Amino acid sequence: MSYPRIVVLFGIATSIVFLAISTILYSRSSLSEQNSSKLETFGGHTPGYPILTTTGDVIDPMNSVINPKNAVVDPMKYLREFNYGRVSTSPNGTVIRDFTLIASDQHTKEVSPGVFYNVWTFNGTIPGPTIRATEGDIVRITLINEGTKFHSIHFHGIHPAEMDGVFEGIAPGGKFTYEFTAEPFGLFLYHCHMQPLEEHIGHGLYGVYIVDPKQGRPPADEMVMLMNGYDTDFDSENNFYTVNGIPFYYMHHPIQIEKNRLIRIYLVNMLEFDPLNNFHLHANLFNFYKTGTKLVPDEYTDIVSLNQGERGILEFSYKYPGKYMFHAHKTEFAEKGWVGLFLVKDDKNESVNQSLNVTSIANNTSYSKNNFSNVTNIVPIGGYK
Ligand SMILES: [Cu+2]
C-alpha cells in the first residue's frame, strides 16, 4: 500500500520543522545556561537593582590606581596649565604667538585604571594643551601630523575660510601652519575636523582655546575643565565620563582652593555620543558667562547644561571651608567618572590637612601610587547629591 505523494511530503516537512525548533530551543537553553553560569552581580542596596551584572572582569576606577607612566594625561597639571606660545612682535607691534601641535593616532594609553585605549592626541594628551592668547594677537599654530591618518585643526572663533581646518586634511608626515587674529574674546575649543568626525573626536583630538579680553578679567584662581567620555567597546555609547581626562581623578586628588578667593573655571563640553552634559556645584552658586564673550554674567546658578561644543566661564568663591563635590547632575555620567572634589582652605596660612584632618593630599601634581592610596583613604565613596 502506498501513501499519496502529498501525505509523504507533508510528513517530511513536519519532521524538518520539528527538528529545527528542537535544535533552536536546545541551543538557546544551553547558551543561557553558559551565560548565567558566568554572570555575577555586584553591589546594590535594593534587591533587583544591582549596580553591575557582568560576565567579565570588574574594573573599579574608584578603588584602583592608574599607572602614571601609561596615563593619557595628568589632570592636576592640565587643570591650571595655560600655554601662551612662543611670543614675538610684528613690525607694527602686534603680539605673535607661535604654537606647535603634534597629532598622533597610533598609541595606546590608560584612560581609566586597567582600561587601555587607542588614543588619538594633540601633543600626547587628552585633552590637548590649552592655548591662550589676548584679543588682537596673531595666533600661529603649526600642526605636525605624526599619525597614520589625515588630520586637521578646526578652531572656533573668527578667521578666513582657508584657516578653518575642514576641507584641507594634513597627510601623515605632513605639516601646516594655521594663522589668524585672536577674535573675539571668549572661550573656544579646537578639534580635528576630518571624517568620520565622531571617530576623530571620540578618540581624543581636541583641546581648549581661550581669548582674553584686552583689559583682562579680575584676578582669580583660574582653571580649565573639559568634559569628555570614552567609548571603549565601540558601540557608540560612552563607558567612562570624565572632567579633564581621567574618571574620578579629582575624587582621589581634590582640587585645593582658598576660602573667599575668586575661582574662575573655563568649562568646555567635548562629550561625543551623548546629546547633553552638565556641571553642578555643591553648596554654592556661580556666575555663568555663556561662551565667555561678554563681561557681564548671563546667569547666577548652581547647574549649567551644555551640548557638545558648548562652553562657558564660571566664577564663584566659597564662604566656608570644607570639602565640596562638583559633578555632572546626570547621574549616569557621575557614577561613571564625572565627579570631583574641591577642598576649601580656611585661610592661606592654615593647611587643608590640618583643617580637615587628612594627610598627604597637598599639591598632587603627578600620579603617585603612595599619594593616590593615601587620598583614597579619606574619600568617602558614593553619594553625589
Ligand atoms: Cu583627525
Side-chain angles (χ1 to χ4, degrees):
M1 181 182 169
S2 69
Y3 293 101
R5 183 178 288 179
I6 187 129
V7 174
V8 173
L9 283 176
F10 180 76
I12 291 171
T14 309
S15 307
I16 289 170
V17 169
F18 178 77
L19 258 174
I21 290 173
S22 309
T23 307
I24 288 168
L25 284 178
Y26 176 76
S27 64
R28 275 200 179 166
S29 72
S30 61
L31 193 65
S32 73
E33 269 164 27
Q34 278 171 18
N35 281 350
S36 65
S37 69
K38 288 183 186 172
L39 269 177
E40 286 185 68
T41 297
F42 295 89
H45 300 291
T46 311
Y49 291 88
I51 289 171
L52 183 65
T53 304
T54 179
T55 55
D57 291 335
V58 177
I59 291 164
D60 179 3
M62 279 299 283
N63 290 305
S64 307
V65 178
I66 196 162
N67 186 335
K69 284 181 188 165
N70 301 327
V72 75
V73 69
D74 177 342
M76 202 54 87
K77 185 161 177 274
Y78 175 81
L79 184 72
R80 292 186 174 98
E81 190 171 73
F82 301 96
N83 299 278
Y84 293 89
R86 298 177 297 281
V87 180
S88 57
T89 310
S90 76
N92 69 4
T94 305
V95 170
I96 302 169
R97 298 184 186 277
D98 276 286
F99 301 86
T100 304
L101 289 182
I102 298 170
S104 68
D105 53 37
Q106 65 276 53
H107 302 296
T108 299
K109 293 265 190 172
E110 207 168 3
V111 295
S112 182
V115 180
F116 291 82
Y117 186 60
N118 171 214
V119 293
W120 300 8
T121 59
F122 287 121
N123 291 9
T125 60
I126 300 176
T130 298
I131 289 174
R132 191 160 183 176
T134 301
E135 185 184 14
D137 292 349
I138 290 173
V139 176
R140 286 200 298 231
I141 296 108
T142 299
L143 170 64
I144 300 170
N145 187 357
E146 289 188 353
T148 62
K149 300 171 176 64
F150 275 68
H151 297 298
S152 74
I153 311 178
H154 164 67
F155 278 85
H156 288 219
I158 299 171
H159 46 247
E162 62 270 25
M163 295 297 150
D164 203 37
V166 171
F167 303 110
E168 304 85 5
I170 312 306
K175 73 156 119 170
F176 180 78
T177 300
Y178 299 88
E179 180 173 335
F180 46 82
T181 300
E183 62 176 329
F185 74 79
L187 174 56
F188 304 96
L189 54 144
Y190 65 87
H191 57 87
C192 179
H193 212 296
M194 290 292 100
Q195 301 290 339
L197 205 53
E198 77 171 31
E199 192 180 11
H200 289 247
I201 290 179
H203 278 267
L205 286 166
Y206 43 74
V208 174
Y209 166 48
I210 298 168
V211 180
D212 289 316
K214 276 187 174 146
Q215 67 274 37
R217 296 179 191 272
D221 180 2
E222 296 197 320
M223 46 192 90
V224 174
M225 290 197 185
L226 183 143
M227 305 182 287
N228 75 342
Y230 300 106
D231 168 21
T232 50
D233 56 4
F234 310 107
D235 62 354
S236 296
E237 286 186 18
N238 289 302
N239 304 84
F240 299 94
Y241 295 84
T242 95
V243 64
N244 293 351
I246 306 283
F248 298 108
Y249 185 84
Y250 299 118
M251 286 299 287
H252 300 285
H253 302 75
I255 299 168
Q256 296 193 34
I257 58 178
E258 288 164 21
K259 191 180 85 170
N260 294 327
R261 171 122 190 242
L262 179 64
I263 307 298
R264 180 176 298 121
I265 297 177
Y266 296 90
L267 178 71
V268 175
N269 180 29
M270 274 312 303
L271 186 63
E272 188 60 65
F273 305 120
D274 291 283
L276 210 54
N277 201 341
N278 56 24
F279 178 106
H280 168 51
L281 186 65
H282 274 229
N284 211 341
L285 275 81
F286 53 84
N287 278 312
F288 185 70
Y289 303 76
K290 191 168 166 53
T291 321
T293 45
K294 290 186 297 181
L295 296 174
V296 288
D298 297 281
E299 201 177 2
Y300 185 54
T301 179
D302 57 53
I303 185 165
V304 61
S305 292
L306 301 170
N307 205 324
Q308 186 181 26
E310 284 191 313
R311 64 276 177 192
I313 298 172
L314 286 64
E315 286 183 350
F316 58 90
S317 57
Y318 271 96
K319 276 171 77 172
Y320 308 108
K323 192 164 52 180
Y324 301 97
M325 268 191 166
F326 61 96
H327 59 87
H329 215 288
K330 169 80 176 150
T331 310
E332 180 197 357
F333 299 178
E335 291 185 341
K336 290 178 179 171
W338 176 175
V339 57
L341 289 174
F342 285 115
L343 275 182
V344 182
K345 297 183 197 180
D346 206 6
D347 65 55
K348 280 184 189 176
N349 298 322
E350 187 183 356
S351 118
V352 174
N353 298 351
Q354 285 166 6
S355 65
L356 294 173
N357 193 27
V358 294
T359 54
S360 301
I361 52 171
N363 301 318
N364 283 310
T365 54
S366 62
Y367 296 95
S368 152
K369 191 164 182 173
N370 290 335
N371 287 346
F372 204 98
S373 313
N374 288 339
V375 173
T376 301
N377 292 338
I378 60 106
V379 178
I381 294 169
Y384 294 115
K385 290 173 194 148

